[in-house]
Amino acid sequence: MTDESTGEGELLPRLRVIEHQPLDARAVAYVQLHDELRSRLEGGDVSGHRG
């Protein structure tokens, strides 16, 4: 798997940016990231059941 297929190429730089933010902003950014990742994972499950 490549960084592009796993999303790792996007994730690590994004985490670095989040870590440099003030605590309040960091908490909001982690919630947004969590929601986005959960949505991607749940979307993957749905498409897997149909095929």
Side-chain angles (χ1 to χ4, degrees), residues 14 27-37:
R14 191 168 171 186
V28 171
Y30 276 126
V31 167
Q32 291 172 346
L33 179 60
H34 172 268
D35 290 345
E36 180 183 323
L37 293 173

Side-chain angles (χ1 to χ4, degrees), residues 41-51:
L41 288 171
E42 289 175 353
D45 288 345
V46 171
S47 64
H49 290 296
R50 290 182 182 173

